[in-house]
Amino acid sequence: RKEVEQDPGPFNVPEGATVAFNCTYSNSASQSFFWYRQDCRKEPKLLMSVYSSGNEDGRFTAQLNRASQYISLLIRDSKLSDSATYLCVVHSWGKLQFGAGTQVVVTP
Amino acid sequence: GAVVSQHPSRVICKSGTSVKIECRSLDFQATTMFWYRQFPKKSLMLMATSNEGSKATYEQGVEKDKFLINHASLTLSTLTVTSAHPEDSSFYICSARYSGSNEQFFGPGTRLTVL
């Protein structure tokens, strides 16, 4: 079983719509959680950390459910520039475990 | 701040040659650097963790004699792919972390193609 699992997508989203997707992780002792964004052939870039109480950063909302071991990301009012692959990242014992990513394609 | 560079950004080489990739932290001292590999449509896989001045710690299944890592200073780590083969073709990304922080700052990656 993979440490971090994500639906690969693609999620095709009309511009202005809302899209949400989840990620599950296997290590219950994981300490911190992140969403990264990766554009094609580029390095991953930190989008936001995920806190236990849930947190928002502009149009992006992240939630963490430790009991069920999943993390979610919601994007409101999608922009064309949101098209990317979103990586779920879990930090455990000094190492980052990456999911394979969820591809989001925002269409005009 | 917290910029990490990698060089080269792209390299094409013949099978059997060795390739060196550099990872530099430009504006901070990186006590720990990480090397990842990413195949198309796959997740980043940690290859090894290197601490300045000590030997790298390799992940299970990663051959230390094939992927030589040197972290000789607080701003530079190198990954040498020795006797490269076509199956080593991949996107290699480094990241760096400074003392007391859990955040990793990623380099722009190096795309290696072995013919």
Side-chain angles (χ1 to χ4, degrees):
Chain A
R1 185 185 171 188
K2 292 179 187 174
E3 296 269 353
V4 181
E5 298 218 43
Q6 293 183 250
D7 181 340
F11 284 67
N12 293 298
V13 186
E15 195 175 5
T18 296
V19 61
F21 41 88
N22 295 337
C23 138
T24 58
Y25 61 95
S26 61
N27 185 352
S28 60
S30 298
Q31 296 135 347
S32 48
F33 310 88
F34 309 91
W35 283 104
Y36 277 72
R37 170 194 169 125
Q38 187 175 26
D39 293 294
C40 188
R41 295 177 172 265
K42 301 283 188 184
E43 78 276 22
K45 295 193 174 174
L46 180 64
L47 179 67
M48 60 195 299
S49 301
V50 186
Y51 302 118
S52 297
S53 54
N55 50 298
E56 203 172 288
D57 183 357
R59 298 180 292 106
F60 298 84
T61 301
Q63 297 277 357
L64 166 63
N65 185 318
R66 281 192 184 268
S68 302
Q69 294 180 209
Y70 77 82
I71 307 151
S72 64
L73 181 67
L74 182 146
I75 307 174
R76 282 188 304 278
D77 187 22
S78 300
K79 311 289 184 194
L80 295 177
S81 57
D82 294 333
S83 297
T85 296
Y86 291 84
L87 308 178
C88 175
V89 182
V90 174
H91 182 251
S92 304
W93 310 119
K95 297 179 185 177
L96 295 182
Q97 302 283 354
F98 285 80
T102 296
Q103 187 183 7
V104 172
V105 179
V106 182
T107 55
Chain B
V3 178
V4 176
S5 70
Q6 270 184 252
H7 177 79
S9 59
R10 181 183 295 248
V11 58
I12 300 172
C13 69
K14 291 182 179 178
S15 189
T17 59
S18 293
V19 175
K20 180 186 280 189
I21 303 170
E22 292 186 351
C23 176
R24 292 181 185 273
S25 56
L26 298 185
D27 52 2
F28 66 101
Q29 293 188 325
T31 49
T32 306
M33 285 185 168
F34 303 85
W35 286 97
Y36 295 86
R37 180 168 54 181
Q38 186 179 32
F39 292 107
K41 297 192 182 295
K42 300 290 186 185
S43 58
L44 272 75
M45 296 300 297
L46 179 64
M47 299 174 67
T49 302
S50 79
N51 293 296
E52 184 264 338
S54 61
K55 288 185 179 178
T57 302
Y58 289 81
E59 294 300 300
Q60 194 173 12
V62 178
E63 298 174 58
K64 61 180 181 181
D65 295 330
K66 181 166 182 62
F67 299 99
L68 301 177
I69 291 172
N70 185 290
H71 190 167
S73 78
L74 284 171
T75 58
L76 173 64
S77 176
T78 60
L79 167 69
T80 301
V81 183
T82 62
S83 187
H85 287 98
E87 58 265 29
D88 298 323
S89 299
S90 188
F91 191 45
Y92 292 86
I93 307 176
C94 73
S95 71
R97 184 178 74 191
Y98 54 82
S99 179
S101 170
N102 278 328
E103 186 173 358
Q104 293 183 25
F105 302 94
F106 286 85
T110 297
R111 191 160 299 280
L112 170 63
T113 303
V114 184
L115 302 176

